Amino acid sequence: MVAKDKPVIGITARVEEDQTYSLDPVYGRAILRAGGLPLIVPIVDREDIPLLCERLDGLIVTGGGDINPTLYGEEPHLRLGAVYPGSDEYEKELILKFLELDKPFIGMCRGLQMFNISLGGTNYQDLESQFEGNLHQHKQNAMRTHRTHSVTLEDESLLYDIMKEKKFNVNSFHHQGVKDVSDQLTVAAHAADGLVEALESKNHQFAMGIQWHPEEFALQGDEASMNIFKRFVDECLIDKKQNQ
């Protein structure tokens, strides 16, 4: 793919209290390998969000810290970790504007939860103390490429169409998770304990959230995981050409 045809993919970074940005390079490497051009998205003024979203061809909202529960009308739980409300509100506005433009979007790990919350869903602030049922380990104590628990994809999901796998093991690094699913989204995958592992929009061409980190497996040569990024970049390229 020649450089002028490569879609520009915005990737959010974790924002620390001192306003510094941090991002695991695996996200960008996966996009590069899939044929896209990654761009770390900083926090911009609210009035500039529409222009930023128009310039980007795709968006990935990544993992990070806990989400401010006031976004979905709850008081903070005792086990709520560090939050950065300014980053939460910014990511919500980015997601909603991207969906309004119907441009390709993926939320990963925390990004899945932000996707759901932005559309009216809610979160477990702490799975261990709030999840009802036989909860499995979702914050693994192993290297990032270790596959710690299983997920099962829904047959009719876009994710199943992309990965061509029904059940497989994934990595897991979260103590929060999807509670109430937005009525604008459909569940695309569950863990064996019933926790939501992937969501897809009912109203957009390509908008999904994934709780695990397929970028880690994609860079290890896993074809099914790499296919997520290839399809995403392909969709971004199609949208880019349609809007030229």
Side-chain angles (χ1 to χ4, degrees):
M1 187 183 296
V2 295
K4 67 178 181 179
D5 290 332
K6 291 182 178 180
V8 177
I9 313 297
I11 306 176
T12 61
R14 180 170 180 171
V15 183
E16 307 293 345
E17 288 186 8
D18 60 358
Q19 298 287 303
T20 59
Y21 294 85
S22 60
L23 179 68
D24 193 315
V26 292
Y27 294 102
R29 289 171 182 166
I31 289 298
L32 284 168
R33 191 170 294 184
L37 286 176
L39 176 69
I40 297 176
V41 177
I43 292 180
V44 301
D45 292 336
R46 185 173 184 176
E47 59 266 26
D48 290 329
I49 289 175
L51 178 59
L52 174 63
C53 292
E54 288 171 7
R55 296 288 178 85
L56 295 173
D57 301 307
L59 176 67
I60 294 177
V61 172
T62 64
D66 285 4
I67 298 172
N68 181 11
T70 61
L71 280 181
Y72 47 96
E74 290 189 6
E75 298 290 340
H77 189 273
L78 280 173
R79 295 192 180 182
L80 178 69
V83 298
Y84 187 76
S87 180
D88 294 339
E89 292 160 6
Y90 177 63
E91 288 182 1
K92 179 180 178 179
E93 292 204 32
L94 273 182
I95 292 169
L96 291 177
K97 185 60 183 179
F98 236 76
L99 295 178
E100 179 186 327
L101 295 170
D102 200 8
K103 289 189 170 187
F105 165 80
I106 299 179
M108 292 185 174
C109 194
R110 179 184 182 279
L112 159 77
Q113 298 163 27
M114 280 301 304
F115 181 35
N116 183 50
I117 289 168
S118 297
L119 293 174
T122 67
N123 237 23
Y124 290 109
Q125 294 186 48
D126 178 68
L127 288 170
E128 185 177 348
S129 57
Q130 294 183 308
F131 185 80
E132 295 181 3
N134 184 23
L135 184 71
H136 298 164
Q137 186 185 63
H138 288 274
K139 194 170 184 180
Q140 68 188 57
N141 298 307
M143 67 180 69
R144 294 188 65 83
T145 53
H146 174 67
R147 294 177 179 259
T148 187
H149 70 73
S150 66
V151 300
T152 301
L153 299 186
E154 297 296 326
D155 292 337
E156 302 301 318
S157 65
L158 175 60
L159 200 54
Y160 177 71
D161 181 64
I162 293 170
M163 299 185 73
K164 307 299 184 188
E165 292 185 357
K166 177 70 175 176
K167 185 176 180 179
F168 48 91
N169 283 9
V170 299
N171 50 9
S172 192
F173 302 96
H174 59 105
H175 87 104
Q176 298 196 318
V178 171
K179 185 179 179 182
D180 300 307
V181 176
S182 163
D183 60 9
Q184 299 180 55
L185 302 175
T186 184
V187 176
H190 282 102
D193 56 17
L195 188 67
V196 172
E197 289 285 332
L199 293 170
E200 296 173 358
S201 173
K202 298 177 181 178
N203 308 310
H204 300 88
Q205 294 185 44
F206 191 103
M208 66 172 60
I210 300 170
Q211 185 64 74
W212 67 95
H213 288 271
E215 70 277 6
E216 299 284 357
F217 305 136
L219 294 179
Q220 294 291 318
D222 181 62
E223 184 177 359
S225 297
M226 192 69 232
N227 284 344
I228 297 172
F229 295 94
K230 287 181 177 178
R231 177 72 73 87
F232 177 56
V233 169
D234 286 347
E235 293 289 335
C236 293
L237 183 59
I238 291 170
D239 187 80
K240 175 183 175 72
K241 289 180 176 179
Q242 289 176 342
N243 289 290
Q244 284 180 340

